[in-house]
Coordinates of all heavy atoms in Angstrom, one line a residue:
M1481 N -14.0 -12.6 -28.6 CA -13.6 -12.4 -27.2 C -12.1 -12.4 -27.1 O -11.5 -13.4 -27.4 CB -14.3 -13.5 -26.4 CG -13.9 -13.5 -24.9 SD -14.0 -11.9 -24.0 CE -15.7 -11.6 -24.0
N1482 N -11.6 -11.4 -26.5 CA -10.2 -11.3 -26.2 C -10.0 -11.9 -24.8 O -10.6 -11.5 -23.8 CB -9.8 -9.8 -26.2 CG -8.3 -9.6 -26.1 OD1 -7.6 -10.4 -25.5 ND2 -7.9 -8.5 -26.6
R1483 N -9.0 -12.8 -24.8 CA -8.7 -13.5 -23.5 C -8.2 -12.5 -22.5 O -8.3 -12.6 -21.3 CB -7.7 -14.6 -23.7 CG -8.3 -15.8 -24.4 CD -7.3 -16.9 -24.6 NE -7.9 -17.9 -25.5 CZ -8.1 -19.1 -25.1 NH1 -7.8 -19.5 -23.9 NH2 -8.6 -20.0 -26.0
L1484 N -7.5 -11.4 -22.9 CA -7.0 -10.4 -22.0 C -8.1 -9.7 -21.3 O -8.0 -9.2 -20.2 CB -6.0 -9.4 -22.7 CG -4.7 -10.0 -23.1 CD1 -3.9 -8.9 -23.9 CD2 -3.9 -10.5 -21.9
H1485 N -9.2 -9.6 -22.0 CA -10.4 -8.9 -21.3 C -10.9 -9.8 -20.2 O -11.2 -9.3 -19.1 CB -11.5 -8.7 -22.3 CG -11.2 -7.7 -23.4 ND1 -11.9 -7.6 -24.5 CD2 -10.2 -6.8 -23.5 CE1 -11.4 -6.6 -25.3 NE2 -10.3 -6.2 -24.6
L1486 N -10.9 -11.1 -20.4 CA -11.3 -12.0 -19.3 C -10.3 -12.0 -18.1 O -10.7 -12.0 -16.9 CB -11.4 -13.5 -19.8 CG -12.6 -13.7 -20.8 CD1 -12.5 -15.2 -21.3 CD2 -13.9 -13.4 -20.2
V1487 N -9.0 -11.9 -18.4 CA -8.1 -11.7 -17.3 C -8.3 -10.4 -16.6 O -8.2 -10.4 -15.4 CB -6.6 -11.7 -17.9 CG1 -5.6 -11.4 -16.8 CG2 -6.3 -13.1 -18.5
S1488 N -8.6 -9.4 -17.3 CA -8.9 -8.1 -16.7 C -10.2 -8.2 -15.8 O -10.2 -7.6 -14.7 CB -9.2 -7.0 -17.8 OG -9.5 -5.8 -17.2
Y1489 N -11.2 -8.9 -16.2 CA -12.4 -9.1 -15.4 C -12.1 -9.9 -14.2 O -12.6 -9.6 -13.1 CB -13.6 -9.7 -16.2 CG -13.9 -8.9 -17.5 CD1 -14.4 -9.6 -18.6 CD2 -13.7 -7.6 -17.6 CE1 -14.7 -8.9 -19.7 CE2 -13.9 -6.9 -18.7 CZ -14.5 -7.5 -19.8 OH -14.7 -6.8 -21.0
F1490 N -11.3 -10.9 -14.3 CA -10.9 -11.8 -13.2 C -10.1 -10.9 -12.2 O -10.5 -10.9 -11.0 CB -9.9 -12.9 -13.7 CG -9.3 -13.7 -12.6 CD1 -10.0 -14.7 -12.0 CD2 -8.0 -13.4 -12.2 CE1 -9.3 -15.4 -11.0 CE2 -7.4 -14.1 -11.2 CZ -8.0 -15.1 -10.6
L1491 N -9.2 -10.1 -12.6 CA -8.4 -9.2 -11.7 C -9.4 -8.2 -11.1 O -9.2 -7.8 -9.9 CB -7.3 -8.6 -12.4 CG -6.1 -9.6 -12.8 CD1 -5.1 -8.8 -13.7 CD2 -5.5 -10.2 -11.6
G1492 N -10.3 -7.7 -11.9 CA -11.3 -6.7 -11.4 C -12.1 -7.3 -10.3 O -12.4 -6.7 -9.3
G1493 N -12.5 -8.6 -10.4 CA -13.2 -9.3 -9.3 C -12.4 -9.4 -8.1 O -12.9 -9.2 -7.0
L1494 N -11.1 -9.7 -8.2 CA -10.1 -9.7 -7.1 C -10.1 -8.4 -6.4 O -10.3 -8.3 -5.1 CB -8.7 -10.0 -7.6 CG -8.4 -11.5 -8.0 CD1 -7.0 -11.5 -8.5 CD2 -8.5 -12.4 -6.8
F1495 N -9.9 -7.3 -7.1 CA -9.8 -6.0 -6.5 C -11.1 -5.6 -5.9 O -11.2 -5.0 -4.8 CB -9.3 -5.0 -7.5 CG -7.9 -5.0 -7.7 CD1 -7.3 -5.7 -8.7 CD2 -7.0 -4.2 -6.8 CE1 -5.9 -5.7 -8.9 CE2 -5.7 -4.2 -7.0 CZ -5.1 -5.0 -8.0
L1496 N -12.3 -5.8 -6.6 CA -13.6 -5.4 -6.0 C -13.9 -6.1 -4.7 O -14.3 -5.5 -3.8 CB -14.7 -5.6 -7.1 CG -14.6 -4.6 -8.2 CD1 -15.6 -5.0 -9.3 CD2 -14.9 -3.2 -7.8
A1497 N -13.6 -7.4 -4.7 CA -13.9 -8.2 -3.5 C -13.0 -7.8 -2.4 O -13.4 -7.8 -1.2 CB -13.9 -9.7 -3.8
N1498 N -11.7 -7.5 -2.7 CA -10.8 -7.2 -1.7 C -11.1 -5.8 -1.1 O -10.7 -5.5 0.1 CB -9.3 -7.1 -2.3 CG -8.3 -7.0 -1.2 OD1 -8.4 -7.7 -0.2 ND2 -7.3 -6.1 -1.4
A1499 N -11.8 -5.0 -1.8 CA -12.2 -3.7 -1.2 C -13.2 -3.8 -0.1 O -13.2 -3.0 0.9 CB -12.9 -2.8 -2.3
I1500 N -14.0 -4.9 -0.1 CA -15.1 -5.0 0.9 C -14.6 -5.1 2.4 O -15.1 -4.2 3.2 CB -16.0 -6.2 0.6 CG1 -16.7 -6.0 -0.8 CG2 -17.0 -6.5 1.7 CD1 -17.4 -7.2 -1.3
P1501 N -13.7 -6.0 2.8 CA -13.4 -6.0 4.2 C -12.7 -4.8 4.7 O -12.9 -4.4 5.8 CB -12.5 -7.3 4.3 CG -12.0 -7.5 2.9 CD -13.0 -7.0 2.0
H1502 N -11.9 -4.1 3.8 CA -11.2 -2.9 4.2 C -12.2 -1.8 4.4 O -12.1 -1.0 5.3 CB -10.1 -2.6 3.2 CG -9.0 -3.6 3.1 ND1 -8.1 -3.8 4.1 CD2 -8.8 -4.6 2.2 CE1 -7.3 -4.8 3.8 NE2 -7.7 -5.3 2.6
L1503 N -13.1 -1.6 3.4 CA -14.1 -0.6 3.6 C -15.0 -0.8 4.8 O -15.2 0.2 5.5 CB -14.9 -0.5 2.3 CG -14.2 0.2 1.1 CD1 -15.1 0.1 -0.2 CD2 -13.9 1.6 1.4
V1504 N -15.4 -2.0 4.9 CA -16.4 -2.3 6.1 C -15.7 -2.0 7.4 O -16.2 -1.3 8.3 CB -17.0 -3.7 5.9 CG1 -17.7 -4.1 7.2 CG2 -17.9 -3.8 4.7
S1505 N -14.5 -2.6 7.6 CA -13.7 -2.4 8.8 C -13.4 -1.0 9.1 O -13.6 -0.4 10.2 CB -12.4 -3.2 8.8 OG -12.7 -4.6 8.8
G1506 N -13.0 -0.3 8.0 CA -12.6 1.1 8.2 C -13.8 2.0 8.5 O -13.8 2.8 9.4
M1507 N -14.9 1.7 7.8 CA -16.1 2.5 8.0 C -16.8 2.3 9.4 O -17.5 3.1 9.9 CB -17.1 2.3 6.9 CG -16.6 2.9 5.6 SD -17.6 2.4 4.2 CE -18.8 3.7 4.2
M1508 N -16.5 1.1 10.0 CA -16.9 0.8 11.3 C -16.0 1.3 12.4 O -16.2 1.1 13.6 CB -17.1 -0.7 11.5 CG -18.3 -1.3 10.6 SD -18.5 -3.0 10.8 CE -19.0 -3.2 12.5
G1509 N -14.9 1.9 11.9 CA -13.9 2.4 12.9 C -13.0 1.4 13.5 O -12.4 1.6 14.5
R1510 N -12.9 0.2 12.9 CA -12.1 -0.8 13.4 C -10.8 -1.0 12.7 O -10.7 -0.9 11.5 CB -12.9 -2.2 13.3 CG -14.1 -2.2 14.1 CD -14.8 -3.5 14.0 NE -16.0 -3.5 14.8 CZ -16.9 -4.5 14.8 NH1 -16.8 -5.5 13.9 NH2 -17.9 -4.4 15.6
P1511 N -9.7 -1.3 13.4 CA -8.4 -1.6 12.7 C -8.5 -2.9 12.0 O -9.3 -3.8 12.4 CB -7.4 -1.6 13.9 CG -8.2 -1.9 15.1 CD -9.6 -1.4 14.9
F1512 N -7.7 -3.1 11.0 CA -7.8 -4.3 10.2 C -6.4 -4.5 9.5 O -5.7 -3.5 9.3 CB -8.9 -4.3 9.2 CG -9.2 -5.6 8.6 CD1 -9.8 -6.7 9.3 CD2 -8.9 -5.8 7.2 CE1 -10.1 -7.9 8.7 CE2 -9.2 -7.0 6.6 CZ -9.8 -8.0 7.3
Q1513 N -6.1 -5.7 9.2 CA -4.8 -6.0 8.5 C -4.8 -5.3 7.1 O -5.9 -5.2 6.5 CB -4.6 -7.5 8.3 CG -4.2 -8.3 9.5 CD -5.4 -8.6 10.4 OE1 -6.6 -8.5 10.0 NE2 -5.1 -9.0 11.6
S1514 N -3.7 -4.8 6.7 CA -3.5 -4.2 5.4 C -2.1 -4.4 5.0 O -1.2 -4.7 5.8 CB -3.9 -2.7 5.4 OG -2.8 -1.9 5.8
P1515 N -1.7 -4.1 3.7 CA -0.3 -4.3 3.3 C 0.6 -3.2 4.0 O 1.8 -3.4 3.9 CB -0.4 -4.0 1.8 CG -1.8 -4.2 1.4 CD -2.6 -3.9 2.6
F1516 N 0.0 -2.2 4.6 CA 0.8 -1.1 5.1 C 1.1 -1.3 6.6 O 1.9 -0.5 7.2 CB 0.1 0.2 5.0 CG -0.4 0.4 3.6 CD1 -1.7 0.3 3.2 CD2 0.5 0.7 2.6 CE1 -2.1 0.4 1.9 CE2 0.1 0.8 1.3 CZ -1.2 0.7 0.9
A1517 N 0.6 -2.4 7.2 CA 0.8 -2.6 8.6 C 2.2 -3.3 8.8 O 2.7 -3.8 7.8 CB -0.3 -3.5 9.2
K1518 N 2.7 -3.4 10.0 CA 3.9 -4.1 10.2 C 3.7 -5.2 11.2 O 3.2 -4.9 12.3 CB 5.0 -3.2 10.7 CG 5.4 -2.2 9.7 CD 6.6 -1.4 10.0 CE 6.9 -0.5 8.9 NZ 7.9 0.3 9.0
P1519 N 3.9 -6.5 10.9 CA 4.4 -7.0 9.6 C 3.2 -6.9 8.6 O 2.1 -7.0 9.0 CB 4.7 -8.4 9.9 CG 4.1 -8.8 11.2 CD 3.9 -7.5 11.9
S1520 N 3.6 -6.7 7.3 CA 2.6 -6.5 6.3 C 1.6 -7.6 6.2 O 2.0 -8.8 6.2 CB 3.4 -6.4 4.9 OG 2.5 -6.1 3.9
G1521 N 0.3 -7.3 6.2 CA -0.7 -8.3 6.1 C -1.0 -9.0 7.3 O -2.0 -9.8 7.4
E1522 N -0.3 -8.7 8.4 CA -0.5 -9.4 9.7 C -0.8 -8.4 10.8 O -1.7 -8.6 11.6 CB 0.7 -10.2 10.1 CG 1.0 -11.4 9.1 CD 2.2 -12.2 9.5 OE1 2.7 -12.0 10.6 OE2 2.7 -12.9 8.6
G1523 N -0.1 -7.3 10.8 CA -0.4 -6.3 11.8 C -1.7 -5.5 11.5 O -2.2 -5.7 10.4
L1524 N -2.1 -4.7 12.4 CA -3.3 -3.9 12.1 C -3.0 -2.5 11.7 O -2.1 -1.8 12.1 CB -4.1 -3.8 13.4 CG -4.6 -5.2 14.0 CD1 -5.3 -5.0 15.3 CD2 -5.6 -5.8 13.0
S1525 N -3.8 -2.0 10.7 CA -3.8 -0.6 10.2 C -5.0 0.1 10.8 O -6.0 -0.5 11.1 CB -3.8 -0.6 8.7 OG -2.6 -1.1 8.2
S1526 N -4.9 1.4 10.8 CA -6.0 2.2 11.3 C -7.2 2.1 10.4 O -7.1 1.7 9.2 CB -5.5 3.7 11.4 OG -5.4 4.2 10.1
S1527 N -8.3 2.5 10.9 CA -9.5 2.5 10.1 C -9.4 3.5 8.9 O -9.9 3.2 7.8 CB -10.7 2.9 11.0 OG -10.5 4.2 11.6
T1528 N -8.7 4.6 9.1 CA -8.5 5.5 8.0 C -7.7 4.9 6.8 O -8.1 5.0 5.7 CB -7.8 6.8 8.5 OG1 -8.6 7.4 9.5 CG2 -7.7 7.8 7.3
V1529 N -6.7 4.2 7.2 CA -5.8 3.5 6.2 C -6.7 2.5 5.5 O -6.6 2.3 4.2 CB -4.6 2.9 6.8 CG1 -3.9 2.0 5.9 CG2 -3.6 4.0 7.3
N1530 N -7.5 1.8 6.2 CA -8.3 0.8 5.6 C -9.4 1.3 4.6 O -9.6 0.8 3.6 CB -9.0 -0.1 6.6 CG -8.1 -1.3 7.0 OD1 -7.9 -2.2 6.3 ND2 -7.5 -1.2 8.2
V1531 N -10.0 2.5 5.0 CA -10.9 3.1 4.1 C -10.2 3.5 2.8 O -10.7 3.3 1.7 CB -11.6 4.3 4.7 CG1 -12.4 5.1 3.7 CG2 -12.6 3.8 5.8
L1532 N -9.0 4.1 2.9 CA -8.3 4.6 1.7 C -7.9 3.4 0.9 O -8.0 3.4 -0.4 CB -7.1 5.4 2.2 CG -7.4 6.7 2.8 CD1 -6.1 7.4 3.4 CD2 -8.1 7.7 1.8
W1533 N -7.4 2.3 1.5 CA -7.0 1.1 0.8 C -8.2 0.5 0.1 O -8.1 0.0 -1.0 CB -6.3 0.1 1.7 CG -5.8 -1.1 1.1 CD1 -6.1 -2.4 1.4 CD2 -4.9 -1.3 0.0 NE1 -5.5 -3.3 0.6 CE2 -4.7 -2.6 -0.3 CE3 -4.2 -0.3 -0.8 CZ2 -3.9 -3.1 -1.3 CZ3 -3.4 -0.8 -1.8 CH2 -3.3 -2.2 -2.1
G1534 N -9.3 0.4 0.8 CA -10.5 -0.1 0.2 C -11.0 0.6 -1.0 O -11.3 0.1 -2.0
F1535 N -11.0 2.0 -0.9 CA -11.4 2.8 -2.1 C -10.4 2.6 -3.2 O -10.8 2.6 -4.4 CB -11.5 4.3 -1.7 CG -12.9 4.6 -1.3 CD1 -13.3 4.7 0.0 CD2 -13.9 4.9 -2.3 CE1 -14.6 4.9 0.4 CE2 -15.2 5.2 -1.9 CZ -15.5 5.2 -0.6
F1536 N -9.1 2.5 -2.9 CA -8.1 2.3 -4.0 C -8.5 1.0 -4.7 O -8.5 0.9 -6.0 CB -6.7 2.2 -3.4 CG -5.7 1.8 -4.5 CD1 -5.2 2.7 -5.4 CD2 -5.2 0.5 -4.5 CE1 -4.3 2.4 -6.3 CE2 -4.3 0.1 -5.5 CZ -3.8 1.1 -6.4
N1537 N -8.7 -0.1 -4.0 CA -9.1 -1.4 -4.6 C -10.4 -1.3 -5.4 O -10.5 -1.9 -6.5 CB -9.3 -2.4 -3.5 CG -7.9 -3.1 -3.1 OD1 -7.5 -4.0 -3.7 ND2 -7.3 -2.5 -2.1
A1538 N -11.3 -0.5 -4.9 CA -12.6 -0.4 -5.6 C -12.4 0.4 -6.9 O -13.0 0.0 -8.0 CB -13.6 0.4 -4.8
I1539 N -11.5 1.4 -6.9 CA -11.3 2.2 -8.1 C -10.5 1.3 -9.2 O -10.9 1.3 -10.4 CB -10.5 3.4 -7.8 CG1 -11.4 4.4 -7.1 CG2 -9.9 4.1 -9.1 CD1 -10.7 5.6 -6.4
V1540 N -9.5 0.5 -8.7 CA -8.8 -0.3 -9.7 C -9.7 -1.4 -10.2 O -9.7 -1.7 -11.4 CB -7.6 -1.0 -9.0 CG1 -6.9 -2.0 -9.8 CG2 -6.5 0.1 -8.6
G1541 N -10.5 -2.0 -9.4 CA -11.5 -3.0 -9.8 C -12.5 -2.4 -10.9 O -12.7 -3.0 -11.9
Y1542 N -13.0 -1.2 -10.6 CA -13.9 -0.6 -11.5 C -13.2 -0.3 -12.9 O -13.8 -0.6 -13.9 CB -14.3 0.8 -10.9 CG -15.0 1.7 -11.9 CD1 -16.3 1.5 -12.3 CD2 -14.3 2.7 -12.5 CE1 -16.9 2.3 -13.2 CE2 -14.9 3.6 -13.4 CZ -16.2 3.4 -13.8 OH -16.8 4.2 -14.7
L1543 N -12.0 0.2 -12.8 CA -11.3 0.4 -14.1 C -11.0 -0.8 -14.9 O -11.1 -0.8 -16.1 CB -9.9 1.2 -13.8 CG -10.0 2.6 -13.3 CD1 -8.7 3.1 -12.8 CD2 -10.7 3.5 -14.3
L1544 N -10.7 -1.9 -14.2 CA -10.4 -3.2 -14.9 C -11.7 -3.8 -15.5 O -11.6 -4.4 -16.5 CB -9.8 -4.2 -13.9 CG -8.3 -3.9 -13.5 CD1 -7.9 -4.8 -12.4 CD2 -7.4 -4.1 -14.7
V1545 N -12.8 -3.6 -14.8 CA -14.0 -4.2 -15.3 C -14.7 -3.3 -16.4 O -15.2 -3.8 -17.4 CB -15.0 -4.5 -14.2 CG1 -16.4 -4.9 -14.7 CG2 -14.4 -5.5 -13.2
V1546 N -14.8 -2.0 -16.1 CA -15.6 -1.1 -17.0 C -14.8 -0.5 -18.1 O -15.3 -0.3 -19.2 CB -16.2 0.0 -16.1 CG1 -17.0 1.0 -16.9 CG2 -17.1 -0.7 -15.0
H1547 N -13.5 -0.3 -17.9 CA -12.7 0.4 -18.9 C -11.8 -0.5 -19.8 O -11.1 0.0 -20.6 CB -11.9 1.6 -18.3 CG -12.8 2.7 -17.9 ND1 -13.3 3.6 -18.7 CD2 -13.3 3.0 -16.7 CE1 -14.0 4.5 -18.1 NE2 -14.1 4.1 -16.8
V1548 N -11.9 -1.8 -19.6 CA -11.1 -2.7 -20.4 C -12.1 -3.6 -21.1 O -12.9 -4.2 -20.5 CB -10.1 -3.5 -19.6 CG1 -9.4 -4.6 -20.4 CG2 -9.1 -2.7 -18.8
G1549 N -12.0 -3.6 -22.4 CA -13.0 -4.4 -23.2 C -14.4 -3.8 -23.1 O -14.6 -2.6 -22.9
N1550 N -15.4 -4.7 -23.2 CA -16.8 -4.4 -23.2 C -17.5 -5.3 -22.2 O -18.2 -6.3 -22.7 CB -17.3 -4.4 -24.6 CG -18.7 -3.8 -24.6 OD1 -19.1 -3.1 -23.7 ND2 -19.4 -4.1 -25.7
F1551 N -17.4 -5.1 -20.9 CA -18.0 -6.1 -20.0 C -19.5 -6.1 -20.1 O -20.2 -5.1 -20.2 CB -17.7 -5.6 -18.5 CG -18.2 -6.6 -17.5 CD1 -17.4 -7.7 -17.2 CD2 -19.4 -6.4 -16.8 CE1 -17.8 -8.6 -16.2 CE2 -19.8 -7.3 -15.9 CZ -19.1 -8.4 -15.6
E1552 N -20.1 -7.3 -20.3 CA -21.5 -7.5 -20.5 C -22.0 -8.3 -19.3 O -21.6 -9.4 -19.1 CB -21.8 -8.2 -21.8 CG -21.5 -7.5 -23.0 CD -22.5 -6.4 -23.3 OE1 -23.6 -6.5 -22.8 OE2 -22.1 -5.4 -23.9
L1553 N -23.0 -7.7 -18.6 CA -23.6 -8.4 -17.4 C -24.3 -9.7 -17.9 O -24.5 -10.6 -17.1 CB -24.6 -7.5 -16.7 CG -23.9 -6.7 -15.6 CD1 -25.0 -5.8 -15.0 CD2 -23.3 -7.5 -14.5
R1554 N -24.8 -9.8 -19.1 CA -25.5 -10.9 -19.6 C -24.6 -12.0 -20.2 O -25.1 -13.0 -20.6 CB -26.5 -10.5 -20.7 CG -27.7 -9.7 -20.1 CD -28.6 -9.3 -21.1 NE -29.6 -8.4 -20.6 CZ -30.8 -8.7 -20.2 NH1 -31.2 -10.0 -20.4 NH2 -31.7 -7.8 -19.7
S1555 N -23.3 -11.7 -20.2 CA -22.3 -12.7 -20.8 C -21.9 -13.6 -19.6 O -21.3 -13.1 -18.7 CB -21.2 -11.9 -21.4 OG -20.1 -12.9 -21.6
I1556 N -22.1 -14.9 -19.8 CA -21.7 -15.8 -18.7 C -20.2 -15.8 -18.6 O -19.7 -15.8 -17.4 CB -22.2 -17.3 -19.1 CG1 -23.7 -17.3 -19.1 CG2 -21.6 -18.3 -18.1 CD1 -24.4 -17.1 -17.8
R1557 N -19.5 -15.7 -19.7 CA -18.0 -15.7 -19.6 C -17.5 -14.5 -18.8 O -16.6 -14.6 -18.0 CB -17.4 -15.8 -21.0 CG -17.5 -17.1 -21.6 CD -16.5 -17.3 -22.7 NE -16.8 -16.5 -23.8 CZ -16.1 -16.5 -24.9 NH1 -15.0 -17.3 -25.0 NH2 -16.4 -15.8 -25.9
D1558 N -18.0 -13.3 -19.1 CA -17.6 -12.1 -18.4 C -17.9 -12.2 -16.9 O -17.0 -11.9 -16.1 CB -18.3 -10.9 -19.0 CG -17.8 -10.5 -20.4 OD1 -17.0 -11.3 -20.9 OD2 -18.4 -9.6 -21.0
V1559 N -19.1 -12.5 -16.6 CA -19.5 -12.6 -15.2 C -18.8 -13.7 -14.5 O -18.3 -13.6 -13.3 CB -21.0 -12.8 -15.1 CG1 -21.4 -13.0 -13.6 CG2 -21.7 -11.6 -15.6
L1560 N -18.5 -14.9 -15.1 CA -17.8 -16.0 -14.5 C -16.4 -15.6 -14.2 O -15.9 -15.9 -13.1 CB -17.9 -17.2 -15.4 CG -17.4 -18.5 -14.8 CD1 -18.3 -18.9 -13.6 CD2 -17.5 -19.6 -15.8
A1561 N -15.7 -14.9 -15.1 CA -14.3 -14.5 -14.9 C -14.3 -13.6 -13.7 O -13.4 -13.7 -12.8 CB -13.8 -13.7 -16.1
L1562 N -15.2 -12.6 -13.6 CA -15.2 -11.7 -12.4 C -15.6 -12.5 -11.1 O -14.9 -12.3 -10.1 CB -16.3 -10.6 -12.7 CG -16.3 -9.5 -11.6 CD1 -16.5 -8.1 -12.3 CD2 -17.5 -9.7 -10.6
A1563 N -16.5 -13.4 -11.2 CA -17.0 -14.1 -10.0 C -15.8 -15.0 -9.5 O -15.7 -15.2 -8.3 CB -18.2 -14.9 -10.3
V1564 N -15.1 -15.7 -10.4 CA -14.0 -16.5 -10.0 C -12.9 -15.7 -9.3 O -12.4 -16.2 -8.2 CB -13.5 -17.3 -11.2 CG1 -12.2 -18.0 -10.8 CG2 -14.5 -18.4 -11.6
G1565 N -12.6 -14.6 -9.8 CA -11.6 -13.7 -9.1 C -12.1 -13.3 -7.7 O -11.4 -13.4 -6.8
A1566 N -13.4 -12.9 -7.6 CA -13.9 -12.5 -6.3 C -14.0 -13.7 -5.4 O -13.6 -13.5 -4.2 CB -15.3 -11.9 -6.5
M1567 N -14.3 -14.9 -5.9 CA -14.4 -16.0 -5.0 C -13.0 -16.4 -4.5 O -12.8 -16.7 -3.3 CB -15.0 -17.2 -5.7 CG -15.2 -18.4 -4.8 SD -15.7 -19.9 -5.7 CE -14.3 -20.2 -6.8
L1568 N -12.0 -16.4 -5.4 CA -10.7 -16.8 -5.0 C -10.1 -15.9 -3.9 O -9.5 -16.3 -2.9 CB -9.7 -16.9 -6.2 CG -10.0 -18.1 -7.1 CD1 -9.1 -18.1 -8.3 CD2 -9.9 -19.4 -6.3
I1569 N -10.2 -14.6 -4.1 CA -9.7 -13.6 -3.1 C -10.6 -13.8 -1.8 O -10.0 -13.6 -0.7 CB -9.7 -12.2 -3.6 CG1 -8.8 -11.3 -2.6 CG2 -11.0 -11.6 -3.7 CD1 -7.4 -11.6 -2.7
G1570 N -11.8 -14.1 -1.9 CA -12.7 -14.3 -0.7 C -12.2 -15.5 0.1 O -12.1 -15.5 1.3
L1571 N -11.9 -16.6 -0.6 CA -11.4 -17.8 0.1 C -10.0 -17.6 0.7 O -9.8 -18.0 1.8 CB -11.4 -19.0 -0.9 CG -12.7 -19.5 -1.3 CD1 -12.5 -20.6 -2.5 CD2 -13.5 -20.1 -0.2
F1572 N -9.2 -16.9 -0.1 CA -7.8 -16.6 0.5 C -8.0 -15.7 1.7 O -7.3 -15.9 2.7 CB -7.0 -15.9 -0.6 CG -5.7 -15.3 0.0 CD1 -4.6 -16.1 0.2 CD2 -5.6 -14.0 0.3 CE1 -3.5 -15.6 0.8 CE2 -4.5 -13.4 0.9 CZ -3.4 -14.3 1.1
S1573 N -8.8 -14.7 1.6 CA -9.0 -13.8 2.8 C -9.6 -14.5 4.0 O -9.2 -14.3 5.1 CB -9.9 -12.6 2.4 OG -9.3 -11.8 1.4
A1574 N -10.5 -15.4 3.7 CA -11.1 -16.2 4.8 C -10.1 -17.0 5.6 O -10.0 -17.0 6.8 CB -12.2 -17.1 4.3
R1575 N -9.2 -17.6 4.8 CA -8.1 -18.4 5.4 C -7.1 -17.5 6.1 O -6.6 -17.8 7.2 CB -7.5 -19.4 4.4 CG -8.4 -20.4 3.8 CD -9.0 -21.3 4.9 NE -8.0 -22.0 5.6 CZ -8.2 -22.8 6.7 NH1 -9.4 -22.9 7.1 NH2 -7.2 -23.4 7.3
H1576 N -6.6 -16.5 5.4 CA -5.6 -15.7 5.9 C -6.0 -14.9 7.1 O -5.3 -14.9 8.1 CB -5.1 -14.7 4.8 CG -4.0 -13.8 5.2 ND1 -2.7 -14.2 5.5 CD2 -4.0 -12.5 5.5 CE1 -2.0 -13.2 5.9 NE2 -2.7 -12.1 5.9
F1577 N -7.1 -14.2 7.0 CA -7.6 -13.4 8.2 C -8.2 -14.2 9.2 O -8.3 -13.8 10.4 CB -8.5 -12.3 7.7 CG -7.9 -11.3 6.7 CD1 -8.4 -11.0 5.5 CD2 -6.7 -10.7 7.1 CE1 -7.8 -10.2 4.6 CE2 -6.1 -9.8 6.2 CZ -6.6 -9.5 5.0
G1578 N -8.7 -15.4 8.9 CA -9.3 -16.3 9.8 C -8.3 -16.7 10.9 O -8.7 -17.0 12.1
Q1579 N -7.0 -16.8 10.5 CA -6.0 -17.2 11.5 C -5.8 -16.1 12.6 O -5.4 -16.4 13.7 CB -4.7 -17.5 10.8 CG -4.0 -16.2 10.2 CD -2.7 -16.6 9.5 OE1 -1.9 -17.4 10.0 NE2 -2.5 -16.0 8.3
F1580 N -6.2 -14.8 12.3 CA -6.0 -13.7 13.3 C -7.3 -13.5 14.0 O -7.3 -12.9 15.1 CB -5.6 -12.4 12.5 CG -4.4 -12.6 11.7 CD1 -4.4 -12.4 10.4 CD2 -3.2 -12.8 12.3 CE1 -3.3 -12.5 9.6 CE2 -2.0 -12.9 11.6 CZ -2.1 -12.8 10.2
H1581 N -8.4 -13.9 13.5 CA -9.7 -13.5 14.1 C -10.5 -14.8 14.5 O -11.7 -14.7 14.8 CB -10.6 -12.7 13.1 CG -9.9 -11.4 12.7 ND1 -9.8 -10.3 13.6 CD2 -9.2 -11.1 11.6 CE1 -9.1 -9.4 12.9 NE2 -8.7 -9.8 11.8
G1582 N -9.9 -15.9 14.5 CA -10.6 -17.2 14.9 C -11.5 -17.8 13.9 O -12.2 -18.7 14.3
G1583 N -11.5 -17.3 12.7 CA -12.5 -17.9 11.7 C -12.1 -19.3 11.2 O -12.9 -20.0 10.6
N1584 N -10.8 -19.7 11.4 CA -10.4 -20.9 10.8 C -10.8 -22.1 11.7 O -10.9 -23.2 11.2 CB -8.9 -21.0 10.6 CG -8.5 -20.1 9.4 OD1 -9.3 -19.6 8.6 ND2 -7.2 -19.7 9.4
S1585 N -11.0 -21.9 13.0 CA -11.4 -23.0 13.9 C -12.3 -22.4 14.9 O -11.9 -22.2 16.1 CB -10.1 -23.6 14.5 OG -9.4 -22.6 15.2
P1586 N -13.6 -22.1 14.5 CA -14.5 -21.6 15.5 C -14.8 -22.6 16.6 O -14.9 -23.8 16.3 CB -15.7 -21.2 14.6 CG -15.6 -22.1 13.4 CD -14.1 -22.3 13.2
E1587 N -15.0 -22.1 17.8 CA -15.4 -22.9 18.9 C -16.8 -23.4 18.7 O -17.7 -22.6 18.3 CB -15.2 -22.2 20.2 CG -13.8 -21.8 20.5 CD -13.7 -21.0 21.8 OE1 -14.6 -21.2 22.7 OE2 -12.7 -20.3 22.0
R1588 N -17.1 -24.6 19.1 CA -18.4 -25.2 19.0 C -19.1 -25.0 20.4 O -18.4 -25.2 21.4 CB -18.4 -26.6 18.7 CG -17.8 -26.8 17.3 CD -17.8 -28.3 16.9 NE -17.0 -28.4 15.7 CZ -17.5 -29.1 14.6 NH1 -18.6 -29.7 14.7 NH2 -16.8 -29.1 13.6
S1589 N -20.3 -24.6 20.4 CA -21.0 -24.4 21.7 C -22.0 -25.5 22.0 O -22.3 -26.3 21.2 CB -21.7 -23.0 21.7 OG -22.6 -22.9 20.6

């Protein structure tokens, strides 16, 4: 097992998970934060920009997972590397975007 392959799967998990909020927001026609907004990562980008950014992330994630090494779905190490990358970007996104959308301190009813 090449450690660089695990790093590639980890990064692939980051990119694949990062594609989700951009694709979903864009496909729902909603603006969402992106690196292209001003200020970057805080302002809102159009739904079209988010769809394009989401597809770019999905393509990079696919290339890192499928075209680097030999990713095996039955390999715990391969899947764990991808899952940790996806989980970390998910937690980062929850905290970062939660400050703009109220997810960090939801009101109790």
